[in-house]
Amino acid sequence: MRRSFPRLVALIVLLGCARMPAFSPHRADNVDADLAAVLARVKAAPSRPANAAAAPLIFAVSPSPDATLTAYDLAARRAVFSVKADIRSRVIVGRGAIFAREGEREFVARDVAAGKVIWRHAIEGGATFLGAASDGDGVTYVTEESGPRVAGRDVATIVGLDAASGKRRWKIGAHSRLGAPAAREGLVFVPFASQSIAVLDGRSGEELARLRNEDEAITFVLSAPEGVFYGSRGVFRLDARSIGGRRDAASYASAKLPSDPMGLVRGLYHFDGYNAAQAGYTAYDRNRLLWHAGKGAPFDGPVVLHSYRFFFGFDPASGDVKWAYSFPRHDVMASEHTGTHIVMLSSEGEIVALDARSGAEAWSGKLDGRVAGATLDVRGFSPPERITAQVDLRETLIGIVWDPDRRFEAIKLFCVGELARLTHPNVTDDLIKVVTFEKIDRKVYEKAGAALLERVSAADVPLLVRELAIRTDYVSGARARAVDLLARASGKLATTDAVEPLLAHFRDHETALLALREVVKALDAIGSKTVLGPFREFLLTYRTDPDLAQEPDVLRRVCDALLRLGIAHDRQLLRFVAEDPQTAPYLRNYAGELLRKAALHSSL
């Protein structure tokens, strides 16, 4: 035993000095010295495009079957190249080359200047491609095995290549899931097992550090000129505080999103590295948050919601929408926050740059051909000219509500909600026009109606009277609309100015039962004795009508008003209604009970 002891010690020392394989379950995480060594290599850089020429380039992919890859230079306002390419992933921009999965199983490097193929590499590992990253002289991609998980077998594979030659530097399998990587200064950052980031050496594949979060999943890692960021529902900045592994201990921020009951706002800050669909261009590119990190502040300026053709810039601290922009006609397939501007590319190749703080158009261009998706390498792009003046938020919001495209109900609901928050004096009129529009979607009508009832005030009485004065006339083509909402608003304000137009709808046989109920309720709430004559006539005429039984509140409210506002003659009328066997049973019972309660009250 004594002779074997030195050998045991030597073995332990040897094992301790051996390099632990990447993604080992035995690797310690959140180690100060490991993170410090990584941070020493991660330096902030000027905000500029990733390509070596620092030109603001768009790499756009056209739809199949005649797929092409086109590079467009925003500064020069011209196409750099356009080549046939069966692109099946996002285009990744390196210093001297761009990279993408092409076809089923090839990873291809192309020259940035001409689009010519530099090398082709047969994709290794699993059948599912999750994403790639390049930091200049290296490029890395991640694949995942499909099918059921099998204990002891690799779930995912990460491969490091030489960017110039395509020669494989290393290949590593992992027993836990890996996400799409990010790369910087010879380092590769890989989401690992949903809660961690593994930091690898780009040349050797050696794992240099591991960070683990305790209270938020890590679905993405992003390398930007301002630093390395990661997270899911919020954004962590990679710095010395990351060692804490918790939101409250780290440099963490999440924007307060605008109120959105329909779930329009997606609270994710980058593409999900574990989602294979998002390794290519998908609908997520058209529904996302755009943000830019400052050197000190979590978010530099407004965070921007991109939803199809529409953009909303909002204050990340308060959630208040500051500006809105509606792209005409076509969906926007790709967008990017440059730091000062929002650059966007439509499905028809139209390019627009908005001022990020005001939403005003600052630049426009055109790329030939249709677009299925694009990578925008435009960080730091700041056009010299301005095209339009300050955007009017109210006008843009109401314009989106009027948009004839019926796909965007959720967006229109969002705009109605934001419109209702504005203090502009014309908003009430806007809401009235929405609810009285013939082809408005039902849910939009309901939300605009609720907003109208919430904000209506005495100053809006002329608007209500104006709309209530419109009656259905088949000769002129006029149609009374939203009578129920307008009546509710009038009843809320108890304005006598609305009595005459309300009575006109009360007498009109074209008034629907639901609207008639609200008209009677409003007239009852206003309390004008002007209603007594029409109410008496109505009660006598319709007390036996079976159709009114579908809305029993109509005649019940008429009875209430006659008892409260009327004279002795009206009590006699109610007694007749209560005793006449021809009266509808529900109404006969109600009128009798009403009189009994009134008699009891007067005796007290």
Side-chain angles (χ1 to χ4, degrees):
M1 285 294 292
R2 289 183 178 179
R3 283 183 295 178
S4 65
F5 182 72
R7 294 180 182 177
L8 181 60
V9 172
L11 179 61
I12 292 172
V13 172
L14 180 62
L15 289 173
C17 295
R19 189 177 72 180
M20 189 175 293
F23 312 117
S24 167
H26 306 295
R27 170 128 197 156
D29 48 38
N30 297 354
V31 177
D32 286 280
D34 292 350
L35 178 59
V38 168
L39 293 176
R41 296 172 62 175
V42 177
K43 305 293 185 183
S47 188
R48 46 156 285 175
N51 65 84
L57 300 177
I58 291 177
F59 298 94
V61 177
S62 70
S64 298
D66 300 320
T68 58
L69 172 64
T70 300
Y72 183 90
D73 188 325
L74 272 67
R77 290 180 177 273
R78 65 178 181 86
V80 178
F81 66 77
S82 185
V83 295
K84 293 284 185 181
D86 184 17
I87 304 294
R88 302 287 187 91
S89 73
R90 297 185 182 280
V91 174
I92 305 300
V93 183
R95 288 190 191 132
I98 54 175
F99 310 90
R101 173 191 165 205
E102 296 192 22
E104 291 297 327
R105 296 292 296 174
E106 279 195 318
F107 191 60
V108 179
R110 292 180 177 271
D111 179 74
V112 171
K116 294 181 179 178
V117 174
I118 301 172
W119 49 256
R120 296 180 181 272
H121 165 83
I123 294 175
E124 303 178 64
T128 303
F129 186 86
L130 289 179
S134 175
D135 70 335
D137 68 342
V139 60
T140 308
Y141 67 84
V142 171
T143 61
E144 185 173 62
E145 298 292 337
S146 57
R149 305 284 185 250
V150 178
R153 290 189 184 177
D154 289 340
V155 170
T157 302
I158 182 167
V159 178
L161 306 175
D162 180 84
S165 66
K167 182 179 179 180
R168 189 223 286 173
R169 291 175 171 175
W170 44 267
K171 173 183 174 182
I172 304 169
H175 291 348
S176 295
R177 295 194 70 193
L178 302 179
R184 188 187 189 92
E185 280 97 21
L187 300 172
V188 179
F189 301 84
V190 191
F192 174 48
S194 297
Q195 291 294 130
S196 300
I197 299 172
V199 186
L200 310 183
D201 182 275
R203 288 195 169 272
S204 67
E206 177 186 359
E207 185 171 355
L208 304 177
R210 187 179 300 176
L211 296 170
R212 181 174 58 86
N213 261 8
E214 296 180 11
D215 57 357
E216 183 168 318
I218 298 174
T219 60
F220 72 83
V221 183
L222 168 68
S223 176
E226 299 77 25
V228 174
F229 303 89
Y230 58 96
S232 56
R233 305 298 299 183
V235 179
F236 293 84
R237 181 192 291 270
L238 183 69
D239 59 19
R241 299 183 64 198
S242 297
I243 211 73
R246 297 181 60 84
R247 288 189 291 260
D248 57 3
S251 299
Y252 175 83
S254 62
K256 182 176 180 181
L257 302 177
S259 58
D260 178 37
M262 294 300 294
L264 173 65
V265 175
R266 295 173 182 260
L268 298 176
Y269 293 82
H270 195 55
F271 305 112
D272 184 345
Y274 295 100
N275 187 331
Q278 293 184 25
Y281 301 116
T282 67
Y284 183 84
D285 293 76
R286 305 188 288 281
N287 291 275
R288 52 188 296 236
L289 294 175
L290 307 174
W291 53 278
H292 182 265
K295 293 182 179 179
F299 299 110
D300 181 18
V303 172
V304 177
L305 166 64
H306 169 193
S307 188
Y308 294 99
R309 294 196 285 111
F310 310 106
F311 292 77
F312 305 92
F314 63 93
D315 185 329
S318 66
D320 294 340
V321 173
K322 298 299 183 183
W323 56 262
Y325 177 80
S326 174
F327 196 95
R329 299 178 300 282
H330 308 123
D331 286 0
V332 173
M333 307 304 286
S335 56
E336 189 64 48
H337 200 314
T338 73
T340 58
H341 291 78
I342 307 299
V343 177
M344 60 190 72
L345 173 66
S346 82
S347 60
E348 299 302 312
E350 300 141 316
I351 309 166
V352 170
L354 304 180
D355 181 273
R357 294 188 179 275
S358 69
E361 282 191 9
W363 186 93
S364 65
K366 182 71 169 68
L367 181 155
D368 291 336
R370 302 193 68 242
V371 175
T375 294
L376 278 56
D377 186 25
V378 295
R379 283 274 180 162
F381 175 66
S382 185
E385 69 265 32
R386 293 186 68 85
I387 298 175
T388 64
Q390 175 69 40
V391 175
D392 186 294
L393 177 57
R394 171 185 151 266
E395 289 184 3
T396 306
L397 291 173
I398 197 65
I400 295 172
V401 175
W402 293 128
D403 193 289
D405 196 326
R406 300 183 71 88
R407 293 178 299 159
F408 303 125
E409 181 183 82
I411 296 170
K412 293 176 183 181
L413 289 169
F414 175 78
C415 288
V416 168
E418 291 304 317
L419 185 68
R421 291 162 57 92
L422 301 181
T423 58
H424 195 287
N426 289 345
V427 169
T428 302
D429 197 22
D430 293 332
L431 293 172
I432 289 175
K433 289 176 181 176
V434 171
V435 298
T436 55
F437 179 58
E438 180 180 7
K439 298 180 180 179
I440 202 67
D441 293 335
R442 185 67 194 178
K443 289 183 179 178
V444 177
Y445 170 87
E446 290 171 353
K447 184 157 187 175
L452 172 63
L453 293 173
E454 179 69 25
R455 70 177 290 131
V456 71
S457 68
D460 302 316
V461 168
L463 301 176
L464 299 176
V465 172
R466 178 198 70 193
E467 292 301 322
L468 284 169
I470 300 173
R471 294 176 59 192
T472 298
D473 185 337
Y474 291 102
V475 176
S476 67
R479 295 291 301 273
R481 303 191 188 281
V483 174
D484 54 341
L485 280 171
L486 297 171
R488 290 176 65 187
S490 302
K492 176 185 174 181
L493 298 176
T495 173
T496 56
D497 291 351
V499 170
E500 285 304 319
L502 285 171
L503 281 174
H505 288 290
F506 176 73
R507 297 187 183 99
D508 193 340
H509 67 277
E510 293 292 340
T511 303
L513 283 178
L514 288 174
L516 185 61
R517 179 187 64 187
E518 299 301 332
V519 167
V520 172
K521 287 169 65 176
L523 288 169
D524 186 26
I526 293 170
S528 171
K529 291 184 180 293
T530 311
V531 305
L532 290 174
F535 275 20
R536 292 167 188 151
E537 181 182 347
F538 189 88
L539 181 59
L540 285 170
T541 303
Y542 293 102
R543 62 191 174 84
T544 64
D545 193 323
D547 290 340
L548 266 295
Q550 299 175 35
E551 283 295 335
D553 243 14
V554 173
L555 287 172
R556 287 172 180 169
R557 289 274 184 172
V558 167
C559 291
D560 291 341
L562 289 173
L563 182 64
R564 183 167 56 85
L565 300 174
I567 56 178
H569 172 74
D570 293 297
R571 293 200 178 206
Q572 293 174 5
L573 173 59
L574 290 174
R575 189 170 294 108
F576 168 74
V577 169
E579 294 174 354
D580 186 357
Q582 300 300 317
T583 301
Y586 82 93
L587 183 60
R588 188 168 64 245
N589 294 336
Y590 186 79
E593 184 64 23
L594 198 64
L595 288 169
R596 282 191 291 273
K597 289 181 179 179
L600 178 62
H601 180 74
S602 62
S603 66
L604 294 176

